[in-house]
Amino acid sequence: MTQIFAHRGYSASYAENTMTAFMEAEKAGADGLELDVQLTKDGEVVVIHDEKVDRTTSGNGYVKDFLFKELRKLNANKKGLKKEPIPSLREVLEWLQTNRMICNIELKNGLFPYEGMEEKVIRLVRSYKLEKRIVISSFNHYSIVYSYRLAPEIETAPLFYEGIYMPWVYADSIRAKGIHPKFSLISDEVIKSTLENGIAVRPYTVNKDTDMQRFFKIGCTAFITDDPVKAIKIRKKFEKRP
Ligand code: G3P
Ligand code: CA
C-alpha cells in the first residue's frame, strides 16, 4: 500500500509546518508527515520552511538571527484566527510519541550550512527513540551522507529537483534507502526499476487526482502531498479494486 505523507502537515487546509497542520494530518489518517527544519541563533532546531520568517509568520528576518524565545513570539498562523507559534522539532517529536506516524525531517541546510544541525537532529531523534520512524532528507547530499555516518540506523533519502540516471545506483552509493524526486521529473520506468532495486521512492509534491492515481497504480512506496484527505479518498478506491 502506497503511504501518504502530509507535506508540511495538512498544508492544503491549515497553516504549513504548525502543530495544528501535523495533528490534522494524523486525524485525517496520513501515514507520515514531511516537515522542514532550520536553526535559531541559539541553536534550537525549529520547524519552518524558509530561511526567513517573513512569508509564513507575523515577523521578519532570518531564522538564524532569532533567539528561540523571540522566535516563539511570532505567529505562524497569520491568516487564521488562532495564534500559533513556530514549533520546535522537540515538540513535534514529543507529540509523535502519542501516535505511530512516520516523520520525514527535511534538513534545510542548502543556503546556510547550519553547522551542527545533523548532530542536533539526530540527538533529538535518539532521545525520543524514534530512529525507526524517521526519514532524514535534504537537497544537500553532503548532509545526507554526513547524517548516515552519524546515525546509520536512521533512514536517509536525497531530494532531487532533476531527473537523474539510475537513481538506485546513486542512492546505494551514498547508503540512502530511499529517494525523494520531484514527481513530474521521474518516469514510471525509473520508479519501477528503483523499487525493484530495493530503494524506496517518495515523490513530492503530488496534489492532483490524476498524479495521485499514477503513484497508487505503480505501487510507489509513498508520495508527499499537501492534501492527505484527498489522497486517502483516492487510495480507498484503489483498495476496493479486485
Ligand atoms: O520534501 C519534499 C519537498 O518538501 C521539497 O521541497 O520546497 O516543499 O521543501 P520544499
Ligand atoms: Ca520540504
Side-chain angles (χ1 to χ4, degrees):
M1 185 186 64
T2 300
Q3 293 176 323
I4 295 161
F5 279 32
H7 183 237
R8 311 180 194 174
Y10 183 176
S11 59
S13 297
Y14 301 90
E16 68 178 59
N17 283 325
T18 58
M19 286 310 297
T20 301
F22 302 142
M23 288 172 176
E24 292 296 331
E26 195 249 340
K27 275 192 215 157
D31 305 286
L33 296 174
E34 186 269 359
L35 55 82
D36 308 285
V37 296
Q38 313 261 354
L39 280 194
T40 62
K41 191 175 181 179
D42 48 346
E44 187 72 30
V45 186
V46 288
V47 182
I48 179 168
H49 181 272
D50 302 357
E51 286 75 18
K52 279 186 154 181
V53 299
D54 303 39
R55 180 179 61 85
T56 54
T57 79
S58 53
N60 42 62
Y62 287 103
V63 174
K64 69 175 180 57
D65 295 333
F66 280 84
L67 291 171
F68 179 58
K69 73 170 199 270
E70 295 302 326
L71 193 90
R72 285 289 278 188
K73 293 180 187 159
L74 306 179
N75 182 11
N77 183 25
K78 61 179 179 177
K79 290 186 200 137
L81 298 172
K82 194 181 77 167
K83 190 174 177 215
E84 275 214 63
I86 295 171
S88 62
L89 181 63
R90 182 186 295 281
E91 194 177 355
V92 178
L93 299 184
E94 199 160 317
W95 169 72
L96 283 171
Q97 308 287 298
T98 66
N99 59 58
R100 296 296 311 151
M101 287 186 108
I102 302 164
C103 181
N104 169 204
I105 301 172
E106 183 188 345
L107 307 180
K108 282 287 185 202
N109 50 3
L111 190 60
F112 300 121
Y114 289 131
E115 205 184 312
M117 177 184 250
E118 296 90 347
E119 285 87 344
K120 284 174 188 288
V121 168
I122 287 165
R123 202 175 307 132
L124 279 168
V125 169
R126 283 178 172 160
S127 73
Y128 287 97
K129 300 197 172 19
L130 282 165
E131 297 92 326
K132 296 284 168 263
R133 285 162 59 198
I134 299 290
V135 179
I136 294 178
S137 67
S138 186
F139 286 107
N140 179 344
H141 296 186
Y142 289 90
S143 181
I144 288 293
V145 172
Y146 188 50
S147 298
Y148 175 79
R149 288 196 178 134
L150 292 173
E153 77 278 19
I154 302 176
E155 186 172 334
T156 54
L159 276 155
F160 300 110
Y161 292 118
E162 284 143 8
I164 70 160
Y165 186 67
M166 297 206 293
W168 59 91
V169 174
Y170 177 65
D172 243 3
S173 76
I174 61 167
R175 302 283 185 267
K177 294 211 165 56
I179 58 165
H180 292 187
K182 187 169 163 60
F183 83 93
S184 50
L185 296 176
I186 187 159
S187 68
D188 293 3
E189 289 65 35
V190 173
I191 293 176
K192 284 178 193 159
S193 301
T194 308
L195 294 171
E196 278 162 19
N197 280 280
I199 301 293
V201 183
R202 304 184 192 90
Y204 71 92
T205 304
V206 185
N207 289 330
K208 283 196 191 138
D209 297 33
T210 47
D211 295 321
M212 290 183 179
Q213 284 158 3
R214 175 184 165 213
F215 295 115
F216 286 130
K217 213 177 279 171
I218 298 172
C220 233
T221 316
F223 62 75
I224 301 171
T225 178
D226 295 332
D227 195 341
V229 169
K230 184 201 270 192
I232 285 161
K233 263 190 213 147
I234 295 175
R235 187 169 70 184
K236 278 192 181 132
K237 284 187 202 152
F238 269 82
E239 282 167 352
K240 276 189 200 137
R241 287 182 178 187

